[in-house]
């Protein structure tokens, strides 16, 4: 939440199995305590979203309360299992799901599944890290040498191909200016508009 004075406490026992997912709505969090998945907010309100048996390792709540789970290389709706997608067997995490696409982290990179095409077209990106930009509602993913953007509709754009090993990326404003961190320092740039600017020349208010 952006209001740091508003807090809620979630109590669990030392034997409870806990995992969580941040909500797209500020001030909310989804938690899995043992087999139950709930939504908590900063007022302390709790609402059960669904259940996931102990055999379910990976889960995701599509905002506001649609629960997806993975079992046997299949991603399906917990409330309606007939809605399902075949996914890579090495899927480790569900990064994001919206009405247009599914975003997965696998052992080999990032997989994007288009939900609107009849054959559910799949795009694979060789990337090991990611960052979600709330201002632009896009995901940035990077490998050692390439930085890409994934839009809400699943469109993928290569933002940068580097000769320096990429270690991270962060937004500098809400207009597209980015800070690219690499093994030789950091550069600021706005893809398609500004050339790379050494970070030592950046003056921020």
């Amino acid at each position: 939440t952006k209001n740091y004075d508003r807090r809620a406490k979630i109590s669990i026992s030392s034997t409870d199995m806990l995992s969580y997912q941040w909500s797209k709505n500020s001030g909310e969090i989804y938690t899995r305590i043992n087999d139950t998945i709930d939504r908590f907010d900063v007022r302390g309100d709790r609402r059960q979203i669904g259940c996931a048996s102990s055999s379910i390792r990976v889960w995701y709540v599509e905002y506001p309360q649609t629960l997806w789970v993975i079992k046997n290389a299949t991603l399906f709706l917990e409330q309606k299992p007939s809605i399902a997608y075949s996914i890579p067997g090495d899927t480790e995490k569900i990064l994001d799901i919206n009405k247009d696409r599914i975003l997965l982290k696998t052992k080999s990179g990032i997989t994007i599944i288009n939900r609107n095409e009849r054959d559910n077209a799949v795009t694979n990106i060789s990337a090991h890290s990611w960052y979600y930009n709330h201002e632009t509602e896009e995901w940035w993913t990077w490998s050692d040498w390439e930085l890409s953007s994934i839009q809400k509709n699943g469109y993928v754009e290569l933002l940068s191909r580097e000769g320096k090993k990429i270690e991270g990326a962060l937004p500098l404003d809400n207009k597209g200016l980015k800070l690219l961190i690499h093994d030789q320092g950091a550069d600021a740039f706005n893809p398609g508009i500004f050339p790379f600017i050494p970070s030592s020349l950046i003056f921020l208010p």
Side-chain angles (χ1 to χ4, degrees), residues 133 136 138 140 169-180 187-191 193-197 202-204:
N133 187 341
T136 58
E138 63 181 330
W140 300 343
L170 292 170
L172 289 176
D173 61 18
N174 58 4
K175 306 297 184 183
L177 188 63
K178 300 171 176 60
L179 182 67
L180 186 64
D187 297 314
F189 76 110
N190 191 328
I193 300 178
F194 300 120
F196 281 100
I197 306 170
I202 302 171
F203 300 94
L204 297 177

Side-chain angles (χ1 to χ4, degrees), residues 10 39 41 44 47 58 87 93 96 98 116 143 150 181:
I10 301 172
R39 182 175 66 192
D41 64 27
R47 175 178 297 181
V58 182
I87 62 172
K93 183 180 179 67
D96 192 24
N98 64 22
N116 295 323
S143 62
I150 305 172
I181 305 164

Side-chain angles (χ1 to χ4, degrees), residues 7-112:
R7 302 178 182 179
K9 182 182 292 185
I10 301 172
S11 299
I12 63 171
S13 75
S14 59
T15 58
D16 286 334
M17 299 293 291
L18 173 67
S19 57
Y20 66 90
Q21 172 203 323
W22 290 107
S23 170
K24 291 182 178 178
N25 189 36
S26 177
E28 293 182 344
I29 190 172
Y30 301 107
T31 67
R32 176 180 180 179
I33 301 175
N34 297 322
D35 294 345
T36 303
I37 297 174
D38 298 300
R39 182 175 66 192
F40 287 88
D41 64 27
V42 292
R43 297 183 300 274
D45 292 339
R46 176 178 183 174
R47 175 178 297 181
Q48 182 171 328
I49 301 298
C51 295
S53 67
S54 58
S55 63
I56 300 296
R57 182 177 58 86
V58 182
W59 59 277
Y60 183 86
V61 178
E62 181 184 0
Y63 182 80
Q65 56 185 25
T66 302
L67 176 60
W68 294 86
V69 295
I70 291 177
K71 190 172 183 180
N72 299 327
T74 301
L75 172 69
F76 60 89
L77 277 176
E78 190 269 344
Q79 297 95 331
K80 192 175 181 180
S82 60
I83 299 178
Y85 299 87
S86 296
I87 62 172
D90 62 346
T91 297
E92 298 177 329
K93 183 180 179 67
I94 303 168
L95 294 180
D96 192 24
I97 298 177
N98 64 22
K99 64 181 181 64
D100 296 316
R101 55 101 180 100
I102 296 164
L103 193 59
L104 307 171
K105 172 65 178 71
T106 69
K107 289 182 179 179
S108 55
I110 304 293
T111 293
I112 305 148

Side-chain angles (χ1 to χ4, degrees), residues 105-173:
K105 172 65 178 71
T106 69
K107 289 182 179 179
S108 55
I110 304 293
T111 293
I112 305 148
I113 301 175
N114 189 315
R115 296 179 66 183
N116 295 323
E117 296 185 10
R118 183 174 300 176
D119 58 353
N120 300 130
V122 175
T123 302
N124 295 300
I125 302 175
S126 178
H128 53 65
S129 300
W130 59 88
Y131 175 86
Y132 180 66
N133 187 341
H134 289 272
E135 294 286 350
T136 58
E137 297 183 292
E138 63 181 330
W139 288 81
W140 300 343
T141 65
W142 59 90
S143 62
D144 287 346
W145 316 111
E146 293 185 344
L147 171 69
S148 299
S149 166
I150 305 172
Q151 305 295 324
K152 289 193 300 182
N153 62 3
Y155 175 75
V156 179
E157 179 183 5
L158 177 64
L159 300 179
S160 174
R161 181 175 284 120
E162 284 289 295
K164 296 166 285 190
K165 187 175 180 180
I166 300 173
E167 296 182 352
L170 292 170
L172 289 176
D173 61 18

